[in-house]
Amino acid sequence: MRPVALALFAGLLAGPALVPAAFAQDAADLPKQNWSFAGPFGTYDRASAQRGFQVYKEVCSACHSMKLVHYRDLSGIGFDAKQIAAIAATVEVSGGVNDDGEPFNRPGLPSDMFKSPFANDNAARAANNGALPPDQSVLLNAREGGADYIYDLLTGYADPPAGMTMGDGMNYNKYFPGHQIAMGQPLHDDQVVYSDGTKATIEQEARDVTTFLAFVANPEMEERKRLGAKAIIFLALLTGVTYAVKRRVWADVDH
Amino acid sequence: MAGLHNSEFSNPVINWIDTRLPIFTMMQKEYGSFPTPKNFNYFWNFGALATVNLLLMIATGVFLAMNYTPNTSMAFESVQRIMRDVNYGWLLRYLHSNGASMFFIVVYIHIFRGMYYGSYKKPRELLWILGVVILLLMMATAFMGYVLPWGQMSYWGATVITNLFSAIPLVGDSIVTLLWGGFSVDNPTLNRFFSLHYLMPFVLIAVVFLHVAALHITGSNNPLGIDVKTPQDTLPFHPYYTAKDSVGMCVWAMVLAALVFFAPNFLGDPANFIPANPLQTPAEIVPEWYFLPFYAILRSVPDKLGGVSMMFGSIIVLFILPWLDTSPVRSARFRPIYRVLMWVLVIDLLALGAVGAHRPEGIWVVIGRASTAWYFLHFLVLLPLLGKFEKTLPLPDSISQPVLKGGIGGGPLAGAAAAQSMEKN
């Protein structure tokens, strides 16, 4: 009887938490992928994320900023200090003003934020047919469908169906809401040359850059899941002990 | 009245303090030996859980406030800085955001328990009313907290909700200007919401204190809904209910941990990861899940003032619930029709929640209106009539009677308690 009550109690607590899922807006049916970072023990595939960084650097970063990410954060996907310093040094950033009061530039440092491709939003719009390429720091979290959506979008370019009138400079995409997207198809076969010899198909590039975007959006994920496993194990034991104590305390009560 | 307290504590330090300020005696009386009905089920955990949850929110919130910047140009990034650069900032923030959801889950179950077992009935009306005040304060606090990260849903949620007040005739627009601190949701709005969001939890603590004080005057209700008659019916709060509440707290912590560590954004809206943009309305403006039923009521009425009145009315009606329910029997266990109606109300609220999450078109409009109508029908028509027509089941003579099932002896106190009760009667 008591364990039943306890199970009911857990269900009552957990039940309402599950309700919103059933209530979620009817999202478009997105094809699902297997991600290295999915599931309670998932981690970021280091090689894939590093290749993804290459795709970001050589393709996406031509238009998309990543303002909330530091070069030093790249240590989270396995780059070492030397590599990070070298990556940061490839950009030139403002160094403030020198002793004479003159503004000067300096090479980037690991402590710098990712350099944005445009000085401001207006410049970004002017260069992109009026459309503003969204910042990619937390883009993956900001889209219904998350990683699957990003992957599907990147691989979802096609010719518009017969009879569909496209807006000026717009591109047809199977998964973009409304199917008209200002961004031209960004990835093509062999768009980048991977140094590890991986064949750069569209699917491979999309998978790699999505893994990288998942990392920058949730850099704490691996630590979070590790700590979570410990917390759940500890709490499960504590629940058991507490329940045993409770039964012991109540043992001599008729109830 | 003045005079030193005659403390019974033997520890000299505690005795010294207790003689001058008898807080130890008070704690012993209210949480140690406090006589509590012996037949609580696990539904009676949720009051204690809500208190612990409130403390968690304050503890995490204080540290978040140390790292948050309430300025429209920096708020979004300061929250991301907490997530990325503050030591365990992600843990603090996810505990706080998911803690809010847990708080509502716990409080909604607590309210359900109060309704199901008739805890609002005489003499606990004021206790119940204080509870509804807590609910209102919680809702206001949660709403203002959701604005602080300054994402798209923060901004547009704030715009929609504050605009509701413009429905009030004559003074509506002035009230909205006052809430905004200007003529649109902007930096002054964010500043005052931050200030109030920090203030409200302490007001909550004060009302919770009154809620508990009132509880300790009337004593707890119980699953049978009958009064405590003899000391045999009760157990001292400690260790019996401290032990039982601890079990609930462990389970609560486990559910919270599952959310925080493995699905921290499950209950959130992706649109709030986009910085607020006053020039771009999101495709859907949806409140957090715990407001969905009320949002559904608001949108079910094709008139602004009507919708706003119904939405606030859905909470206001709870204030007069003790007088709407005319049945003398408290517990749904002995009210065959009321028991069914309670579960129908739960389904009704879940339906309203689903309606709130969907665009008001097609079948959702119909379900929304029917569920809204049923909600008010339940409280304003069915409950007052039910007291007159419902044939209730016979009540047990005392709490220990069904508990003992004809057996002898109670708890460890039963012997003494039985002797005492014989003296009294």
Side-chain angles (χ1 to χ4, degrees):
Chain A
M1 177 59 208
R2 288 295 135 188
V4 174
L6 203 65
L8 186 75
F9 179 86
L12 278 167
L13 270 175
L18 300 175
V19 168
F23 288 3
Q25 288 282 348
D26 321 284
D29 281 328
L30 293 170
K32 302 275 181 291
Q33 304 292 318
N34 287 320
W35 297 108
S36 56
F37 47 88
F41 302 105
T43 54
Y44 295 114
D45 177 340
R46 296 290 189 276
S48 178
Q50 292 192 10
R51 288 194 299 270
F53 169 67
Q54 186 185 345
V55 176
Y56 168 74
K57 195 162 154 259
E58 294 178 13
V59 185
C60 317
S61 72
C63 303
H64 290 275
S65 60
M66 207 175 259
K67 289 177 189 162
L68 304 173
V69 183
H70 296 87
Y71 290 104
R72 60 173 156 79
D73 295 333
L74 290 173
S75 63
I77 50 171
F79 286 108
D80 62 33
K82 244 186 195 160
Q83 286 170 307
I84 291 171
I87 290 166
T90 58
V91 299
E92 199 167 72
V93 299
S94 163
V97 290
N98 64 16
D99 292 347
D100 298 325
E102 301 293 331
F104 73 102
N105 288 341
R106 60 165 174 77
L109 292 169
S111 56
D112 285 320
M113 299 286 203
F114 274 28
K115 195 183 177 185
S116 300
F118 300 103
N120 52 58
D121 285 358
N122 286 4
R125 280 186 195 278
N128 286 285
N129 196 20
L132 178 68
D135 184 87
Q136 292 189 324
S137 313
V138 284
L139 186 68
L140 191 117
N141 291 352
R143 295 292 180 273
E144 204 82 55
D148 290 322
Y149 171 76
I150 301 285
Y151 177 89
D152 292 338
L153 182 92
L154 289 172
T155 55
Y157 282 84
D159 291 328
M164 181 167 174
T165 359
M166 301 294 293
D168 189 26
M170 301 298 266
N171 304 279
Y172 182 80
N173 189 294
K174 283 185 273 184
Y175 302 104
F176 189 74
H179 303 296
Q180 298 203 42
I181 184 168
M183 174 172 72
Q185 180 173 344
L187 300 178
H188 303 270
D189 286 337
D190 300 317
Q191 177 99 17
V192 296
V193 179
Y194 287 136
S195 58
D196 63 359
T198 307
K199 186 157 169 39
T201 59
I202 287 192
E203 289 77 15
Q204 186 64 46
E205 291 163 356
R207 163 168 293 277
D208 292 342
V209 80
T210 302
T211 303
F212 177 66
L213 289 177
F215 162 72
V216 292
N218 304 287
E220 87 299 343
M221 185 208 71
E222 293 184 358
E223 187 194 10
R224 166 159 58 77
K225 287 176 179 173
R226 272 198 307 273
L227 193 57
K230 287 180 209 158
I232 295 282
I233 291 169
F234 169 76
L235 286 170
L237 291 174
L238 189 67
T239 305
V241 171
T242 309
Y243 185 60
V245 168
K246 185 257 162 192
R247 283 184 57 107
R248 181 73 190 269
V249 167
W250 282 76
D252 48 7
V253 181
D254 273 317
H255 66 283
Chain B
M1 284 301 284
L4 292 179
H5 176 66
N6 188 14
S7 178
E8 287 167 12
F9 285 90
S10 53
N11 180 307
V13 177
I14 290 178
N15 188 290
W16 188 90
I17 297 171
D18 201 49
T19 303
R20 287 152 183 80
L21 180 69
I23 45 172
F24 293 100
T25 300
M26 188 198 84
M27 286 305 286
Q28 175 60 27
K29 180 165 166 273
E30 303 298 340
Y31 285 100
S33 57
F34 190 72
T36 314
K38 66 196 287 186
N39 59 334
F40 282 178
N41 54 32
Y42 274 98
F43 274 120
W44 263 261
N45 270 187
F46 286 87
L49 291 183
T51 314
V52 172
N53 208 323
L54 175 59
L55 296 179
L56 170 83
M57 297 306 283
I58 292 177
T60 51
V62 165
F63 287 98
L64 287 172
M66 291 178 191
N67 296 288
Y68 169 76
T69 312
N71 182 295
T72 52
S73 64
M74 290 184 269
F76 186 87
E77 280 166 33
S78 77
V79 170
Q80 280 302 317
R81 211 186 87 79
I82 291 173
M83 297 295 293
R84 288 155 189 275
D85 294 335
V86 173
N87 288 333
Y88 291 101
W90 59 267
L91 182 57
L92 284 173
R93 170 147 187 268
Y94 281 152
L95 277 173
H96 200 73
S97 58
N98 288 289
S101 283
M102 287 299 288
F103 202 3
F104 276 95
I105 292 172
V106 165
V107 163
Y108 285 160
I109 296 176
H110 187 61
I111 294 171
F112 168 81
R113 190 269 283 154
M115 287 188 180
Y116 190 84
Y117 295 107
S119 299
Y120 48 81
K121 291 188 188 181
K122 195 181 169 198
R124 299 185 182 85
E125 305 96 321
L126 188 59
L127 173 62
W128 172 263
I129 287 171
L130 286 165
V132 183
V133 171
I134 291 173
L135 175 65
L136 276 175
L137 285 172
M138 256 181 84
M139 288 176 148
T141 311
F143 161 65
M144 288 189 286
Y146 191 64
V147 175
L148 303 185
W150 210 242
Q152 272 289 65
M153 218 42 91
S154 300
Y155 179 88
W156 290 99
T159 303
V160 169
I161 301 298
T162 48
N163 257 316
L164 293 181
F165 292 91
S166 70
I168 302 169
L170 300 175
V171 292
D173 288 329
S174 310
I175 291 178
V176 175
T177 307
L178 211 60
L179 284 172
W180 286 345
F183 300 100
S184 68
V185 175
D186 208 334
N187 204 46
T189 324
L190 181 60
N191 286 166
R192 61 192 56 200
F193 277 22
F194 179 54
S195 168
L196 292 173
H197 183 70
Y198 207 116
L199 168 71
M200 296 284 238
F202 299 98
V203 179
L204 264 174
I205 292 262
V207 185
V208 167
F209 178 81
L210 294 178
H211 188 68
V212 173
L215 172 73
H216 282 225
I217 296 297
T218 61
S220 297
N221 186 30
N222 64 81
L224 293 173
I226 56 175
D227 290 329
V228 167
K229 294 205 172 70
T230 66
Q232 224 183 341
D233 293 343
T234 66
L235 293 167
F237 188 83
H238 180 75
Y240 294 98
Y241 285 110
T242 40
K244 195 163 183 169
D245 284 347
S246 301
V247 176
M249 272 170 218
C250 288
V251 177
W252 167 83
M254 212 151 37
V255 177
L256 177 62
L259 280 172
V260 165
F261 292 110
F262 298 105
N265 296 315
F266 174 65
L267 297 168
D269 194 305
N272 228 28
F273 279 99
I274 304 170
N277 182 354
L279 299 177
Q280 189 182 53
T281 318
E284 320 278 342
I285 302 177
V286 189
E288 288 283 83
W289 70 267
Y290 38 80
F291 290 140
L292 287 176
F294 307 101
Y295 193 53
I297 291 175
L298 170 75
R299 294 200 299 187
S300 290
V301 185
D303 171 74
K304 190 170 178 185
L305 180 59
V308 173
S309 309
M310 295 280 266
M311 186 181 75
F312 285 110
S314 66
I315 307 279
I316 302 300
V317 76
L318 298 178
F319 280 109
I320 53 168
L321 176 58
W323 296 277
L324 289 173
D325 185 348
T326 50
S327 173
V329 175
R330 289 196 191 105
S331 174
R333 257 187 219 182
F334 307 106
R335 301 186 61 188
I337 304 175
Y338 179 74
R339 185 168 58 203
V340 175
L341 283 184
M342 261 321 289
W343 289 111
V344 174
L345 185 68
V346 170
I347 295 166
D348 187 61
L349 283 163
L350 291 176
L352 280 171
V355 171
H358 288 85
R359 238 176 260 148
E361 45 191 33
I363 188 71
W364 294 110
V365 178
V366 182
I367 301 176
R369 291 193 178 152
S371 310
T372 302
W374 180 265
Y375 182 90
F376 287 98
L377 191 74
H378 174 96
F379 287 106
L380 296 177
V381 180
L382 297 179
L383 284 193
L385 289 178
L386 205 57
K388 300 191 169 50
F389 298 110
E390 188 178 32
K391 211 166 142 29
T392 55
L393 305 176
L395 295 174
D397 289 336
S398 73
I399 291 172
S400 20
Q401 184 215 18
V403 165
L404 297 179
K405 297 179 192 80
I408 47 155
L413 306 172
Q420 254 185 15
S421 71
M422 266 184 273
E423 275 168 32
K424 272 187 192 163
N425 295 337

